[in-house]
Amino acid sequence: MTTTGEAHTEAPPPGAGPWWWARVRSAVLDVGLAVASAVECGGEGVRFARDAGIPEPAGVVFGVLAGSVLVLRRQWPIAVVLVSIAVMPAQMGFLMGIVGLYTLAASELPRRIIASLAGMSFVGMLIVTFVWVRQGVASGDLTFGDWVVPLASLTTALGVTAPPLLLGLYVGARRRLMESLRERADSLERELQLLAERAEERAEWARGEERTRIAREMHDVVAHRVSLMVVHAAALQAVARKDPEKAVKNAALVGDMGRQALTELREMLGVLRSGGGDAERVRRAVVPLVAVGAAAAAAADREWAGGADEGVAAEGPCLSELDELIGQSAAAGMVVDLSVEGESRSYAPEVEQTAYRVVQEALTNVHKHAAGAKTHVRLAHRVSEIAMQVENEPPPEVSSASSARLPSGGNGLVGMKERVSALGGVFVSGPTDAGGYRVSAVIPAA
């Protein structure tokens, strides 16, 4: 893994050099090149002093100062190239010109500036070489013909200018490419970190949804059956000595309710055991949050049709079982009135299961909070939706000491609202003006 871009800019590299140098070895290299250039220019300054008619020490000092400018090549490459062009007529600064052109071409300066200075250096070298070779031919020091003068001048100017310029352009392009790749790697690393953080957040959210779903399913499956068992047990206690036949009947109902509750609970636990791999895939999958919410809310209802413990298939509840559900409440002493509007038809499994659970939980709440109250259950089949309403009248005055007192955790209404909202429906609940309570839900048919 690469270090981030912030680390490149904020933390200096180990062994940072002085002044404008990033590293000590860069400073050592530049100082060494400057010393070599100063020695070269100082030696050529002797000849320049003789030709110019000035003291030789002055020529040497001038050459040393001019050659020492090379130490500034990284900070001011333009100044180094201009100085090399300026001292070119004195036939000195060749090393400074070559190194300066290379540094200039490898820098981040605009191409037009690099081209202009390279052209000036080429023209200057061409002129100086032409004059020097022409003087040599005229004085007899060189035995070449006149036709060799322009060829030698052009060849020398190209040889001194082109190689450092091309090498500098290549090194600069490669350096920029490496920097671009490094920045891209840093950017990808940051993106991967963000994705990992988001994936962890989504996994945590999915785990929370899974826990909420399991709690809601346990409540829906067990609460209704157990509530009816408590009601029947209270009635059994009240009539055990007065009406033995009714007591036996209530005892049988309690047994049936207990077996049904155990069966449903065992089926749910079987689904949870067999669905462990699916839960792990849900935690690891990268899924949009809206889809995860809908899947988590309806996962249990889909699982009822997907499998059960020991390979026995278990189907979820549907609207056709409403009569049986209402009959169980009626057997517990509740007066229930069921009315159906519209033509009955089949819906998606999750829609029917959610509608069934809403009615079931509403009846359970009546058993808990309004025992003995008359209850109206209305079901309406519409074109694009299904609506249900469970409304109970005010409960009668409780005068019997044997009345069942059922505990409530306050999670039933929350679970119903979560189920309906996950399918895009609307859920409303609240007390009525007459003193009763009403639970209404509308679920899209699709």
Side-chain angles (χ1 to χ4, degrees):
M1 301 297 287
T2 62
T3 56
T4 59
E6 290 78 9
H8 284 296
T9 57
E10 295 176 3
W19 297 341
W20 58 82
W21 287 287
R23 293 172 294 183
V24 174
R25 67 177 185 179
S26 299
V28 172
L29 175 61
D30 288 357
V31 171
L33 290 174
V35 170
S37 177
V39 172
E40 177 206 354
C41 292
E44 293 172 346
V46 176
R47 184 180 58 185
F48 169 71
R50 292 173 182 174
D51 295 340
I54 60 175
E56 291 185 359
V60 173
V61 171
F62 173 75
V64 170
L65 292 178
S68 300
V69 175
L70 188 58
V71 76
L72 307 175
R73 71 183 186 96
R74 295 181 191 269
Q75 188 72 4
W76 296 293
I78 296 179
V80 174
V81 175
L82 289 177
V83 171
S84 69
I85 295 174
V87 300
M88 200 174 292
Q91 297 183 8
M92 65 173 61
F94 294 103
L95 176 62
M96 180 170 56
I98 293 174
V99 177
L101 279 178
Y102 163 79
T103 306
L104 179 70
S107 66
E108 300 293 334
L109 292 172
R111 292 297 178 88
R112 62 178 183 276
I113 296 179
I114 298 175
S116 299
L117 292 176
M120 293 171 59
S121 179
F122 173 78
V123 172
M125 181 59 65
L126 181 65
I127 295 174
V128 170
T129 306
F130 182 85
V131 172
W132 180 75
V133 175
R134 186 60 179 264
Q135 289 177 350
V137 172
S139 62
D141 296 336
L142 299 175
T143 58
F144 301 126
D146 293 338
W147 62 272
V148 180
V149 175
L151 179 61
S153 303
L154 182 62
T155 303
T156 303
L158 286 175
V160 174
T161 305
L165 181 66
L166 295 177
L167 180 61
L169 291 175
Y170 167 75
V171 172
R174 184 175 180 274
R175 185 181 302 161
R176 287 188 290 272
L177 176 61
M178 295 301 295
E179 185 65 23
S180 174
L181 293 176
R182 186 181 297 108
E183 292 178 356
R184 186 176 300 177
D186 294 340
S187 176
L188 289 176
E189 182 180 4
R190 288 191 293 270
E191 290 180 4
L192 287 176
Q193 291 176 351
L194 290 176
L195 288 176
E197 292 175 0
R198 291 180 180 177
E200 181 63 26
E201 291 176 359
R202 291 182 178 180
E204 184 64 28
W205 186 89
R207 285 192 289 268
E209 285 296 317
E210 187 72 6
R211 288 192 294 268
T212 303
R213 181 188 68 81
I214 293 174
R216 185 169 59 240
E217 286 302 311
M218 294 291 290
H219 180 275
D220 291 343
V221 169
V222 178
H224 180 74
R225 303 289 186 191
V226 174
S227 298
L228 292 179
M229 289 172 60
V230 173
V231 172
H232 283 295
L236 177 62
Q237 183 181 5
V239 302
R241 296 182 179 178
K242 299 178 183 180
D243 192 349
E245 293 184 1
K246 189 174 183 180
V248 172
K249 181 179 179 182
N250 287 340
L253 288 174
V254 170
D256 291 339
M257 293 294 176
R259 282 188 291 272
Q260 291 176 4
L262 288 175
T263 300
E264 293 185 0
L265 183 60
R266 183 169 58 250
E267 290 171 349
M268 167 170 280
L269 294 178
V271 169
L272 292 177
R273 288 196 202 97
S274 62
D278 297 334
E280 183 67 21
R281 285 194 295 272
V282 170
R283 285 194 293 268
R284 294 184 178 181
V286 180
V287 185
L289 294 182
V290 176
V292 173
D301 292 332
R302 290 197 304 269
E303 286 175 349
W304 283 105
D309 193 16
E310 299 180 359
V312 179
E315 297 182 357
C318 57
L319 293 177
S320 61
E321 300 176 11
L322 278 182
D323 292 334
E324 180 181 355
L325 177 66
I326 293 174
Q328 293 172 354
S329 295
M334 179 187 295
V335 180
V336 188
D337 178 24
L338 173 63
S339 62
V340 180
E341 301 177 4
E343 184 178 355
S344 178
R345 63 182 187 274
S346 60
Y347 299 92
E350 56 269 21
V351 174
E352 293 205 12
Q353 292 155 11
T354 300
Y356 180 92
R357 294 297 188 192
V358 168
V359 176
Q360 181 188 53
E361 181 59 28
L363 293 177
T364 302
N365 288 340
V366 175
H367 283 293
K368 289 181 179 180
H369 308 292
K374 184 176 181 180
T375 305
H376 303 276
V377 179
R378 299 180 179 88
L379 187 66
H381 300 277
R382 300 171 183 171
V383 177
S384 59
E385 61 189 15
I386 178 174
M388 65 228 60
Q389 183 182 91
V390 179
E391 179 180 351
N392 63 275
E393 298 177 358
E397 294 294 333
V398 180
S399 59
S400 174
S402 62
S403 297
R405 303 183 64 181
L406 301 176
S408 175
N411 297 318
L413 294 176
V414 176
M416 286 190 285
K417 185 174 182 180
E418 289 176 350
R419 284 180 175 275
V420 174
S421 299
L423 297 179
V426 178
F427 177 84
V428 179
S429 63
T432 62
D433 296 337
Y437 202 84
R438 180 187 299 118
V439 172
S440 303
V442 179
I443 304 175

